[in-house]
Amino acid sequence: MKTYFRLLSFARPIEKFAIPYVICTILGVIFTTLNLALLAPLLMTLFKSGTAGTELIKEPKSWFDVADYLNYFAQQANLTYGPYGALQLVCAVIVGSVFLGNIFRYFSQRIMENLRIHTLLNLRKTVFNNVMNLQVGYFSNQRKGDIIAKIASDVGVVQFSVTGTLQVVFKEPLQLLAYVFMLFSISFKLTIFAVLVIPVSAFLISKIVKRLKEQAKQAQEMFGLMISYLDEALTGIKIIKSFNATQAIKSKFDSENVRYSDLGRKMARRQQLGGPVSESLGVLMVTSIVLYGGSLILDKQSDLSVALFISYIGIFSQVMRPAKAITESFSTIHAGIAAGERVLDLIDEKPTITDSPNAVAITSFNEAIRLENLSFTYSERTVLKNINLTIPKGKTIALVGPSGGGKSTLMDLIPRFIEAEKGKVTIDNVDVKDITMESLWSMIGVVNQESMLFNDSIFNNIAFGMPNATQQEVENAAKIANAHDFILQTDEGYESNIGDRGMKLSGGQKQRICIARAVLKNPPIMLLDEATSALDTESEKLVQEALNNLMKNRTSLVIAHRLSTIQNADLIVVLEDGQIIETGNHMQLMASHGLYKKLIDMQQFTEV
């Protein structure tokens, strides 16, 4: 129940919906119950009860005798307006009662739908906001598809189960109590006999839905796994086809799909068994009441009239409807709580990298970035060991070395995408842990090896994060990035859509759009992670020229795959096995005949 109430808290302010819902539901229940209770006076009027030769009904003395009150008023109408006039009046009252009952039921459902949408809005917003606040490293250990499933699918299951169950929990017990109240007002003895059978139904239904929560949780996890497979398949479609792995991927997805479907069938069998069982028990109970009550009337052991007995049967036949809805809601709430636990796990996930309580905002970069005695371990493997490096303002520092040497890790420490176990990173002698991350990121521009673009227009991709950028500013940034000419050649220029992840553009074009985005941001510090490694020679030349334009008058940290692109760097840092083994400019490192020269010679040999 703790999970349920936590999920319900996302409906706040719930009183905005609860008060009108309660009022509409109570009035709807009253008129719905009255519709069935009016059967007795209708039958009595048709059979001309209360006319000459028929024993007159005395006005009841207790408010509890609702059925007797209705019969009394029907009899008075019969005496006052005659049989046909009384029939007209009773029919008019029934029509009015049905109309009002439906009106209030409509408004209660409308209010509940507003509550459902309001809850969904708050829940999905909270989940997404928390995911976006998590540190970058969190996503390295998670399946993207599972996160998507939690935000999209699980939240949807939660909204229907929580608000739907809330509706059932309030309305159906109230309706059930109203029916039972009317049954007691008609015949106390018959109703005592009837209610003894209801616990048997509840016990059987509880046995049926007992394992649904566990199965529902498994189903949500399997669905998340399927979304992960789907995401991987769509992202890597070219690789899948080029390696003739289409059938293997199909089999992998199909296997998980079969498992998910089998579990869905098991859950459906349990959920669908509840309805037939409750209906069968309902018919059995109604039959028992007819036999028992009929025997009392035939043996003249009861003062029930035929009209009242038929009305009693009509009301009792409806008792199982709210009882059925209540029992079926157990299966829904189990599925909802299982999905809710997964959603709340994501909400409860706290970022491990946050602003310190005394963090300050920086607005400028004046001296240098310093890495002091930095060490970083990932999965028990030491990636960086006691790194000391100074990056002066306005200088270009290049990181080179074999793959796995720790270059990208070192770069990620500066914007606090990850955090070192030992040592510190300072900007102008201020530890980055004592700088607000928002102001830190405003000082830094990033261009990665993988061009990250959005399914939007070229203009919006360049102006990403800069919502107030003008057309002229965007065009100027594109010109610096050598992108303006090819943009004008697209169908709609700057308003051209570039497709999912920029699929409509070439690798060089995508990279130049990313560079234009960084140019427009105009940060004092640039982090370039192998921005030209995946490009052909012609594209590399254009992109490198754009990068040179980008790095002018800026402090730049560059990871280079093609060493020819960083020979003009102010300082080249050679990393191997997480340690700095060489530093110097190109000429100095070539003269030292160390690892850097070896790498240069290897690349020149490969190119030849």
Side-chain angles (χ1 to χ4, degrees):
M1 289 304 292
K2 183 180 178 181
T3 300
Y4 179 82
F5 285 117
R6 273 200 68 189
L7 295 171
L8 194 60
S9 68
F10 290 96
R12 293 173 181 165
I14 196 169
E15 61 275 4
K16 175 184 175 182
F17 305 95
I19 295 172
Y21 175 75
V22 168
I23 294 171
C24 289
T25 300
I26 290 174
L27 292 172
V29 165
I30 290 172
F31 285 109
T32 300
T33 309
L34 190 61
N35 296 339
L36 293 169
L38 286 168
L39 277 174
L42 176 64
L43 292 170
M44 190 185 74
T45 303
L46 286 172
F47 298 149
K48 298 183 180 180
S49 301
T51 56
T54 302
E55 183 180 353
L56 294 177
I57 300 173
K58 296 181 180 179
E59 183 177 357
K61 295 180 180 180
S62 171
W63 63 270
F64 182 78
D65 299 323
V66 178
D68 290 339
Y69 264 115
L70 294 175
N71 288 335
Y72 172 75
F73 287 126
Q75 176 186 260
Q76 293 302 309
N78 205 341
L79 295 172
T80 305
Y81 304 110
Y84 187 65
L87 181 62
Q88 287 179 316
L89 182 61
V90 171
C91 287
V93 171
I94 290 174
V95 169
S97 176
V98 169
F99 177 76
L100 290 171
N102 285 325
I103 284 289
F104 287 117
R105 186 176 66 177
Y106 164 74
F107 279 113
S108 66
Q109 289 174 341
R110 183 172 168 178
I111 293 165
M112 187 53 66
E113 183 66 14
N114 289 338
L115 174 62
R116 183 187 67 78
I117 293 171
H118 176 73
T119 305
L120 172 64
L121 174 70
N122 288 341
L123 187 56
R124 189 165 284 160
K125 178 182 177 182
T126 303
V127 177
F128 185 75
N129 287 353
N130 193 64
V131 168
M132 295 309 294
N133 287 336
L134 294 173
Q135 71 280 2
V136 174
Y138 171 81
F139 301 95
S140 302
N141 302 316
Q142 300 294 322
R143 283 185 174 271
K144 185 168 64 174
D146 194 47
I147 296 173
I148 293 171
K150 288 178 181 179
I151 297 174
S153 174
D154 290 8
V155 168
V157 173
V158 169
Q159 59 149 340
F160 281 107
S161 65
V162 171
T163 56
T165 306
L166 187 65
Q167 184 175 4
V168 169
V169 165
F170 179 75
K171 180 190 172 185
E172 302 303 342
L174 192 63
Q175 184 68 73
L176 185 61
L177 288 173
Y179 283 148
V180 171
F181 173 79
M182 285 301 304
L183 293 176
F184 272 115
S185 73
I186 294 173
S187 173
F188 188 84
K189 184 187 290 187
L190 268 179
T191 307
I192 288 294
F193 172 78
V195 296
L196 291 175
V197 191
I198 293 178
V200 177
S201 173
F203 175 77
L204 290 175
I205 298 297
S206 67
K207 286 292 184 183
I208 292 171
V209 301
K210 187 176 181 181
R211 287 196 64 241
L212 275 174
K213 181 182 176 182
E214 180 184 343
Q215 290 178 328
K217 189 170 184 178
Q218 290 176 359
Q220 296 300 325
E221 290 172 353
M222 287 182 187
F223 184 76
L225 196 57
M226 283 175 58
I227 295 295
S228 294
Y229 290 162
L230 178 62
D231 175 67
E232 289 173 355
L234 295 178
T235 304
I237 189 67
K238 288 183 180 179
I239 298 298
I240 291 168
K241 289 187 177 296
S242 65
F243 279 85
N244 283 326
T246 305
Q247 194 56 47
I249 292 295
K250 285 181 182 177
S251 300
K252 186 178 180 182
F253 182 83
D254 186 58
S255 175
E256 197 61 34
N257 194 18
V258 168
R259 286 182 61 214
Y260 180 70
S261 300
D262 288 343
L263 186 59
R265 274 193 287 270
K266 291 178 183 177
M267 290 177 62
R269 280 199 294 268
R270 285 182 172 271
Q271 289 172 331
Q272 292 163 1
L273 194 59
V277 167
S278 60
E279 285 185 14
S280 299
L281 289 171
V283 171
L284 185 63
M285 290 170 66
V286 169
T287 305
S288 302
I289 293 298
V290 170
L291 287 173
Y292 179 66
S295 66
L296 292 179
I297 293 173
L298 292 173
D299 295 340
K300 298 182 180 179
Q301 296 179 20
S302 173
D303 56 357
L304 271 179
S305 66
V306 174
L308 273 175
F309 183 60
I310 293 174
S311 180
Y312 185 93
I313 295 299
I315 294 173
F316 188 81
S317 67
Q318 295 300 306
V319 165
M320 291 310 294
R321 185 188 59 77
K324 176 185 172 184
I326 292 170
T327 53
E328 287 182 344
S329 71
F330 282 111
S331 62
T332 305
I333 197 171
H334 281 316
I337 288 178
E341 287 175 349
R342 282 166 47 85
V343 172
L344 290 175
D345 284 344
L346 198 51
I347 290 175
D348 291 339
E349 188 71 44
K350 301 302 179 187
T352 56
I353 301 176
T354 57
D355 290 338
S356 66
N358 301 317
V360 297
I362 58 173
T363 57
S364 62
F365 173 54
N366 303 309
E367 297 178 21
I369 301 169
R370 291 184 175 87
L371 285 65
E372 303 174 12
N373 302 314
L374 277 180
S375 295
F376 183 83
T377 302
Y378 179 75
S379 299
E380 299 182 356
R381 185 174 74 88
T382 302
V383 181
L384 294 176
K385 305 169 187 174
N386 199 37
I387 298 293
N388 288 278
L389 179 64
T390 298
I391 307 171
K393 180 182 178 182
K395 300 296 182 180
T396 296
I397 309 299
L399 301 177
V400 301
S403 296
K407 300 185 295 297
S408 295
T409 300
L410 189 152
M411 182 175 282
D412 285 344
L413 288 166
I414 294 173
R416 290 190 75 196
F417 291 156
I418 56 176
E419 216 156 58
E421 288 85 7
K422 296 179 182 178
K424 63 181 179 178
V425 178
T426 65
I427 294 180
D428 293 344
N429 297 315
V430 180
D431 194 326
V432 291
K433 294 180 181 179
D434 297 323
I435 299 173
T436 61
M437 284 189 286
E438 190 170 318
S439 67
L440 175 63
W441 295 334
S442 70
M443 294 286 108
I444 298 172
V446 177
V447 179
N448 291 319
Q449 177 181 358
E450 181 183 355
S451 307
M452 184 59 231
L453 297 174
F454 301 90
N455 194 340
D456 205 337
S457 68
I458 292 175
F459 180 94
N460 288 340
N461 269 281
I462 295 176
F464 183 74
M466 307 289 289
N468 299 321
T470 65
Q471 181 73 30
Q472 189 60 49
E473 288 172 336
V474 169
E475 289 185 10
N476 289 339
K479 288 175 182 176
I480 294 172
N482 285 340
H484 181 68
D485 291 340
F486 88 76
I487 292 173
L488 293 181
Q489 292 172 9
T490 59
D491 292 339
E492 298 178 42
Y494 281 85
E495 295 306 317
S496 297
N497 185 280
I498 61 174
D500 189 38
R501 301 187 184 185
M503 292 294 287
K504 295 180 182 179
L505 303 178
S506 69
Q509 290 172 338
K510 288 192 287 187
Q511 200 66 293
R512 280 178 278 165
I513 295 292
C514 291
I515 293 170
R517 183 168 62 195
V519 170
L520 183 63
K521 184 181 179 182
N522 194 28
I525 301 168
M526 285 303 309
L527 304 179
L528 309 175
D529 188 353
E530 297 189 290
T532 63
S533 63
L535 304 178
D536 58 82
T537 304
E538 183 179 354
S539 296
E540 181 188 356
K541 182 180 178 182
L542 290 168
V543 170
Q544 189 59 49
E545 186 179 328
L547 288 172
N548 291 337
N549 293 335
L550 174 63
M551 290 188 289
K552 284 179 182 176
N553 303 317
R554 286 189 175 86
T555 305
S556 303
L557 182 62
V558 183
I559 294 177
H561 175 72
R562 296 183 182 176
L563 302 183
S564 58
T565 62
I566 49 89
Q567 291 181 6
N568 295 324
D570 297 296
L571 180 69
I572 299 172
V573 178
V574 183
L575 281 170
E576 185 178 32
D577 294 329
Q579 293 179 303
I580 296 176
I581 60 171
E582 289 182 296
T583 60
N585 60 33
H586 174 70
M587 297 303 295
Q588 290 170 337
L589 292 175
M590 289 296 290
S592 68
H593 295 280
L595 179 60
Y596 178 78
K597 186 177 188 304
K598 181 181 177 182
L599 294 172
I600 288 284
D601 292 341
M602 287 175 63
Q603 285 198 4
Q604 288 176 344
F605 176 77
T606 304
E607 290 171 1
V608 171

